[in-house]
Amino acid sequence: MEPSPVLNKHDELNLEVSAIDPFANIALAFSGGGFRAATFALGVLSYLNKLQFTAVDDPLNGKRLLDQVTYMSSASGGTITTALYALYSAEGRSYEEFYVKLFQSLDGEFLLQNALSILSDRKAWRKRPDKSRNFINAFSMAYDEYLFSGATLKALFYGETKGHLQEVCFNTTEFYTGLSFRQDRKMVPDDASDPYFKFGNENIFAAQSAADGIKIADALAASSCFPAGFEPIIFPEDFSSESASVVELKQGLTMVPQTGDKAEEAFIASKTVGFMDGGITDNQGLQSMMYADGRRIRRETTFKCFDLMLVNDVGSYFIKPYINPPQPKGGGVSLRGLYWWIAAILVAAIVCACFGRYFHKTYLSFIGGLFVIIPALLLAGGLWLKSQVTGAAASSPLNLRKSFTEKIIKLLLKYFTRTPLAVLKQMMAARADSVLLLNMSLFLKRIRQLLYNKFYGSPEWKNRGKGNHIYDLAFASDIYRRQNPPPSPFLEPSKDLQIVAQTAYEMGTTLWFDEQTEATSHSKACVIACGEFTTCYNLLGYIESLSRDPNAVGGQYANRLNELKKQLTADYTRFKTDPFFMYNEDGRAYNIKDFQPLSMADIPDPGF
């Protein structure tokens, strides 16, 4: 198990909120959620780039809040934005360049079409011969070409360029011990030993020198290959490139034995392991952010602990209720009955063919011969399937012998083959629906709840942690807001804000913006705007909460907080009447090609 950040009494005293330099050292965590997550993250960064320190006596005067972000953690779709921003920052490019690049790359089905084109193009795979030809690697190669221009993780270092990021983490999940695998990179030098900073975790990790050659696109693919939608991405073959060979990656990988048995020894010797979506184990990127803060609290790094940890989440605690598939009416044919019907057709076809041959009736011979082939193939297929299930083919994935004895298998076959097909269909549909709900909703939301409880319930993060959720101002959150009113009545959202927030919240977890749907719903614009005004709302609420605690902030920071509050109040007032004011201003100022300004007249009412 990985060590948890343990605080001694001296550290706890240092973490009283009065010792915090408000907004001076900001950490961001971006959740998974496909393009919805990537676009919401863009809106969050946009608003942080807008908000400035203006107090005359403030050492941070003239800087933007985005300049004070030193750490970013992400999972799945959130990694699209985090990785591109980290690269552009390391390369010394402007925020405007980053915004335009991501805005245009997330347009319509651009990345999806290019990934599908790569998947179907045999020549494209000659450039990456060790990669498996599948969907996740096609997306990786599209990311590499159209987002990152072939850059590797080595590029995530400022060097001569001055930048504000100290560390970034692209979370994935490893299939060795089932823990988060932190693709962690430091973007500035650190003289401390920092023993628990790893590209991986305590059980499986790669040397940073070996990770240098991994393409950013492959790290993104590992973070975003969500179950059912993608295949696992395999280390080292799928990570290999002209900058990192399979041999070099294997040499740099360490796997710590867990059981010591022979099967594990063979697995470790192969140094081949699968990775899947970081959201499986930490869909908010929150655990990694807490872990990074713990290393800072324990002074294992020269980096200072965070003053604000903002959790930007497009997931929610809401779930869609399970709806039982409709029960079949009446009886219906069973597999056994269907088998006898097919056998009867086969016998009839043979008789028809023989009759035609005997009486020289060519058309009867033809019909009989045709109907002999079809039922014969069906019966042969049934026998083959039975052999797969009963274990005659030991390597078959359908082999029930792996889980049941021969007696139980015979019992199952005896009664299931007598059960009506409609009943079997309903049983399979119920299982599929419940497993999907369990894996894609209940499981992820339960992990989310556990991490949130730890984050908001622990003294070391008191007054330093703040949630920023896509649904905070949506109609779907009305009941919660009534039960937990914001610190000021002024923060109550307008109907226009709620319409845009609800539209953003209802967008599905996809890796595209469907052009036909976009023409009416404008989901992309709504999610960006939601990221902007929800960040404004939550930062204003955060300052309100700090201001109500007389012991929250030292007097030397009063002007900083007052000046920030003035800006936030003015912006939130504008957002209430025009949720798209900032989205429109940025689109025009950045000269985005074919940019279409929006107003509330363009957004359909979601009907709440």
Side-chain angles (χ1 to χ4, degrees), residues 74-292:
S74 60
S76 200
T79 301
I80 297 173
T81 303
T82 303
L84 188 65
Y85 181 76
L87 177 63
Y88 271 45
S89 181
E91 292 178 342
R93 301 198 194 190
S94 67
Y95 178 80
E96 176 183 330
E97 290 179 282
F98 156 74
Y99 185 98
V100 173
K101 177 67 174 180
L102 187 58
F103 187 96
Q104 293 178 333
S105 297
L106 295 177
D107 198 28
E109 299 115 27
F110 174 77
L111 285 171
L112 173 64
Q113 289 179 351
N114 282 287
L116 290 172
S117 175
I118 290 170
L119 182 64
S120 62
D121 182 7
R122 184 179 61 180
K123 294 180 180 179
W125 299 88
R126 294 174 183 171
K127 301 174 184 177
R128 305 288 296 276
D130 293 313
K131 265 187 174 292
S132 300
R133 188 172 174 178
N134 56 28
F135 204 25
I136 187 57
N137 281 320
F139 257 95
S140 171
M141 290 163 69
Y143 293 146
D144 188 48
E145 182 175 356
Y146 297 103
L147 277 181
F148 305 111
S149 301
T152 68
L153 292 175
K154 189 176 183 179
L156 302 184
F157 192 81
Y158 285 110
E160 298 297 324
T161 305
K162 292 184 179 179
H164 59 89
L165 287 174
Q166 295 174 336
E167 185 180 338
V168 290
C169 181
F170 314 132
N171 293 279
T172 182
T173 302
E174 45 90 354
F175 283 176
Y176 175 49
T177 60
L179 297 176
S180 289
F181 185 98
R182 300 182 182 93
Q183 299 177 108
D184 218 337
R185 301 291 291 178
K186 288 183 179 177
M187 297 182 64
V188 294
D190 180 14
D191 295 331
S193 61
D194 206 357
Y196 297 114
F197 171 81
K198 295 186 184 302
F199 190 87
N201 55 45
E202 291 303 299
N203 301 316
I204 174 172
F205 53 91
Q208 291 289 345
S209 57
D212 281 346
I214 292 176
K215 286 181 177 285
I216 297 175
D218 291 332
L220 166 57
S223 180
S224 58
C225 51
F226 55 87
F230 291 107
E231 312 82 1
I233 186 168
I234 307 301
F235 187 95
E237 287 80 8
D238 291 341
F239 290 80
S240 64
S241 67
E242 65 278 4
S243 302
S245 69
V246 170
V247 173
E248 290 170 334
L249 292 173
K250 283 191 175 186
Q251 288 176 343
L253 185 69
T254 298
M255 302 174 75
V256 179
Q258 305 296 303
T259 64
D261 60 31
K262 291 184 178 181
E264 184 186 71
E265 287 178 3
F267 180 75
I268 291 176
S270 72
K271 288 199 172 182
T272 300
V273 64
F275 294 94
M276 285 208 81
D277 196 295
I280 296 172
T281 47
D282 180 12
N283 197 41
Q284 285 63 49
L286 175 55
Q287 187 179 43
S288 293
M289 183 168 67
M290 293 189 292
Y291 192 77

Side-chain angles (χ1 to χ4, degrees), residues 417-429:
T417 55
R418 295 178 181 180
T419 303
L421 290 174
V423 173
L424 293 178
K425 179 183 176 182
Q426 193 274 344
M427 290 167 57
M428 294 300 294

Side-chain angles (χ1 to χ4, degrees), residues 56-78:
V56 176
D57 61 346
D58 193 342
L60 300 178
N61 180 274
K63 292 188 175 183
R64 302 172 188 269
L65 258 69
L66 187 56
D67 297 328
Q68 302 310 119
V69 173
T70 59
Y71 178 87
M72 295 172 72
S73 171
S74 60
S76 200

Side-chain angles (χ1 to χ4, degrees), residues 559-577:
N559 287 340
R560 175 187 295 176
L561 295 181
N562 286 335
E563 289 299 314
L564 287 174
K565 184 177 178 180
K566 288 179 184 177
Q567 293 179 66
L568 290 162
T569 301
D571 287 342
Y572 193 62
T573 301
R574 287 191 69 185
F575 278 129
K576 279 186 171 184
T577 57

Side-chain angles (χ1 to χ4, degrees), residues 410-479:
K410 288 181 178 180
L411 191 66
L412 291 172
L413 289 176
K414 177 181 178 180
Y415 288 101
F416 278 154
T417 55
R418 295 178 181 180
T419 303
L421 290 174
V423 173
L424 293 178
K425 179 183 176 182
Q426 193 274 344
M427 290 167 57
M428 294 300 294
R431 279 158 178 74
D433 290 347
S434 60
V435 167
L436 189 63
L437 178 65
L438 183 65
N439 289 340
M440 302 304 291
S441 187
L442 296 180
F443 177 72
L444 294 181
K445 293 178 190 299
R446 177 58 176 158
I447 292 178
R448 179 185 190 268
Q449 180 187 14
L450 291 172
L451 288 173
Y452 268 36
N453 288 346
K454 180 179 180 181
F455 183 55
Y456 293 113
S458 300
E460 62 263 38
W461 295 298
K462 179 184 178 182
N463 291 321
R464 296 194 296 143
K466 180 61 181 172
N468 191 35
H469 314 104
I470 196 171
Y471 59 82
D472 281 340
L473 299 178
F475 293 109
S477 196
D478 282 351
I479 294 174

Side-chain angles (χ1 to χ4, degrees), residues 14-22 306-307 462-464 553 557:
N14 280 344
L15 284 171
E16 290 296 327
V17 73
S18 59
I20 291 173
D21 190 351
F306 306 127
D307 298 301
K462 179 184 178 182
N463 291 321
R464 296 194 296 143
V553 181
Y557 301 118

Side-chain angles (χ1 to χ4, degrees), residues 47 473 481 486 488-501 529 532-534 536-537 540 544 568-582 599-600:
Y47 192 73
L473 299 178
R481 277 198 312 278
S488 167
F490 169 72
L491 287 170
E492 284 296 329
S494 65
K495 184 178 180 181
D496 286 349
L497 282 181
Q498 291 202 273
I499 289 173
V500 176
E532 293 166 346
F533 62 65
T534 305
C536 176
Y537 164 83
L540 187 53
E544 288 275 5
L568 290 162
T569 301
D571 287 342
Y572 193 62
T573 301
R574 287 191 69 185
F575 278 129
K576 279 186 171 184
T577 57
D578 183 8
F580 294 105
F581 90 83
M582 187 176 164
S599 68
M600 287 306 300

Side-chain angles (χ1 to χ4, degrees), residues 293-449:
D293 190 56
R295 293 173 18 237
R296 287 154 175 75
I297 292 171
R298 298 192 301 269
R299 300 180 181 87
E300 293 165 356
T301 171
T302 58
F303 304 153
K304 295 180 179 179
C305 60
F306 306 127
D307 298 301
L308 171 62
M309 301 166 73
L310 191 64
V311 187
N312 306 283
D313 190 1
V314 303
S316 74
Y317 57 91
F318 309 118
I319 69 167
K320 293 182 179 180
Y322 172 76
I323 300 175
N324 191 41
Q327 293 287 331
K329 296 180 180 179
V333 66
S334 65
L335 282 171
R336 184 184 179 89
L338 184 63
Y339 182 89
W340 285 114
W341 272 106
I342 293 173
I345 293 172
L346 177 62
V347 171
I350 293 173
V351 170
C352 183
C354 292
F355 187 88
R357 182 177 179 85
Y358 183 79
F359 289 101
H360 305 289
K361 302 291 185 181
T362 306
Y363 70 94
L364 288 177
S365 299
F366 176 78
I367 294 173
L370 181 64
F371 279 91
V372 162
I373 295 173
I374 296 173
L377 289 175
L378 290 174
L379 291 175
L383 292 173
W384 175 84
L385 184 61
K386 182 179 179 181
S387 71
Q388 300 294 302
V389 170
T390 56
S395 60
S396 170
L398 302 175
N399 183 7
L400 295 180
R401 282 287 188 90
K402 299 174 182 177
S403 304
F404 304 103
T405 64
E406 183 177 0
K407 181 179 179 180
I408 295 297
I409 294 172
K410 288 181 178 180
L411 191 66
L412 291 172
L413 289 176
K414 177 181 178 180
Y415 288 101
F416 278 154
T417 55
R418 295 178 181 180
T419 303
L421 290 174
V423 173
L424 293 178
K425 179 183 176 182
Q426 193 274 344
M427 290 167 57
M428 294 300 294
R431 279 158 178 74
D433 290 347
S434 60
V435 167
L436 189 63
L437 178 65
L438 183 65
N439 289 340
M440 302 304 291
S441 187
L442 296 180
F443 177 72
L444 294 181
K445 293 178 190 299
R446 177 58 176 158
I447 292 178
R448 179 185 190 268
Q449 180 187 14

